Amino acid sequence: MSRVVHPARGYLLTLSAAGFFAVNGTVSTLALDAGIPATNLTALRCTGAALALVVFLAVAAPQRLRVTWREVPFLAVFGVVGVALTQFLYYVAIGRMPVGIALVFEMTAPVFIALYVRLVRREKVRSRLWLALLLSLSGLVLVAEVWRDGGSLDPVGVAAALLAAICLATYYLMGERGTVTRDPVVLTCWSFVAAAVFWALAAPWWAFDAGVLIEPVPVSIASVELPLWLLVAWIVVLGAVVPFWLSIAALRHLPPTAAGLVATVEPVFASVVAWLWVEQVLSGWQVAGGVVVLAGIVLAQTARSAPAPSPLPETPAALSS
């Protein structure tokens, strides 16, 4: 029996996922500002998402959780680089510069992917790749406002965001390979498990002062304060698990490239949310630069002759994002 495809539903699901990821950026910023280190926040998010996905699959389809020892090295690298480090570097970036700007830098991942498949894999790519690269670099120059005493952005934040883009590109490329033998849901589940194990070793949960989670955090909405644990719960459930499922569900109705292009609205959503919620204001040059970068990302998304990798969770679009 053929599956019924509803493109409009796919677009709605992708936009919804982008919206959740965008809000998560500001919620994560509040958690970081409240004093929770980026390492611990990443560990909590990865571990919470891993537990939720494992429990769901164990109840719904336990046979899908089986893996062989030959798959372990791949899943370990996929989870550590593609999930654990991508999220950690993103948190470092948004702790030092506006959420929307950090996402603009991170979402240049498709440009790195296209360059990799052209220069390393020697795959044929469309000539628009070079225009995409030029637009992305030009846009990032405007975003960083490099003419202002070397730039208006924190150098560590910029470096973290660009490294996050490289890790995200790795996630896409490995996900493209992994989905040949695994469905995206199971692959992402094990990637979160690998990320959770990594952070259990790198930032042991038993050394984390859980008492900080009961501290009140002002959220600038109706002048209320919420306990930090509630923000962390939002980050795990509505910032990881829910948008992940929305992204996967969208792929039943849209091709990966279309979903990836629609998801480029995430930095726009994130900037609006951050502006309304925590008054993160971007300059005119930064807004213009962001538009130019997004144009380059759109071209890069369609530069490959071969099918683009499927958007998996935490690819802002596409994963974050």
Side-chain angles (χ1 to χ4, degrees):
M1 181 178 179
S2 60
R3 185 176 64 197
V4 178
V5 175
H6 300 285
R9 184 178 301 173
Y11 288 120
L12 179 61
L13 290 170
T14 302
L15 288 171
S16 299
F20 276 108
F21 279 132
V23 173
N24 182 67
T26 295
V27 176
S28 297
T29 298
L30 292 172
L32 292 168
D33 290 344
I36 183 169
T39 50
N40 295 121
L41 185 58
T42 311
L44 289 170
R45 189 184 190 199
C46 291
T47 303
L51 289 173
L53 292 169
V54 168
V55 169
F56 176 82
L57 286 173
V59 173
Q63 69 281 359
R64 296 169 66 185
L65 285 171
R66 295 173 184 168
V67 295
T68 65
W69 283 109
R70 293 181 60 184
E71 295 176 286
V72 171
F74 174 87
L75 293 172
V77 175
F78 186 56
V80 171
V81 177
V83 176
L85 294 183
T86 299
Q87 293 186 27
F88 168 70
L89 290 166
Y90 171 65
Y91 282 153
V92 171
I94 66 174
R96 294 173 173 267
M97 57 187 184
V99 173
I101 295 300
L103 278 173
V104 165
F105 276 91
E106 184 180 353
M107 286 192 68
T108 57
V111 180
F112 288 111
I113 293 170
L115 286 172
Y116 174 83
V117 300
R118 172 64 182 87
L119 300 176
V120 179
R121 290 186 181 177
R122 301 293 182 181
E123 290 183 14
K124 183 179 180 181
V125 297
R126 298 179 176 90
S127 58
R128 70 188 67 171
L129 167 62
W130 309 114
L131 178 58
L133 179 61
L134 177 61
L135 287 173
S136 296
L137 291 176
S138 301
L140 291 179
V141 168
L142 295 177
V143 166
E145 297 179 321
V146 297
W147 57 88
R148 293 179 52 184
D149 298 324
S152 63
L153 300 179
D154 181 274
V156 175
V158 171
L162 288 173
L163 286 173
I166 294 173
C167 290
L168 184 56
T170 303
Y171 180 85
Y172 270 117
L173 290 165
M174 293 189 71
E176 180 182 27
R177 173 186 167 190
T179 50
V180 172
T181 56
R182 285 275 180 183
D183 68 78
V185 175
V186 176
L187 184 63
T188 304
C189 173
W190 282 113
S191 71
F192 272 107
V193 170
V197 172
F198 169 80
W199 284 115
L201 298 174
W205 57 267
W206 54 87
F208 172 60
D209 180 13
V212 70
L213 295 177
I214 64 173
E215 295 295 324
V217 178
V219 295
S220 303
I221 295 179
S223 300
V224 300
E225 292 185 339
L226 298 175
L228 183 54
W229 68 261
L230 191 58
L231 297 185
V232 173
W234 175 291
I235 291 167
V236 171
V237 179
L238 298 179
V241 178
V242 169
F244 156 68
W245 286 113
L246 291 172
S247 297
I248 294 299
L251 295 179
R252 296 174 59 87
H253 305 284
L254 292 177
T257 300
L261 293 176
V262 173
T264 57
V265 301
E266 184 182 342
V268 179
F269 286 172
S271 296
V272 172
V273 172
W275 171 54
L276 294 175
W277 195 339
V278 293
E279 299 181 345
Q280 286 186 352
V281 180
L282 307 183
S283 71
W285 284 115
Q286 290 176 326
V287 172
V291 172
V292 173
V293 172
L294 292 181
I297 293 170
V298 169
L299 290 178
Q301 285 272 23
T302 58
R304 293 183 64 183
S305 298
S310 299
L312 297 170
E314 266 330 282
T315 58
L319 215 201
S320 301
S321 85

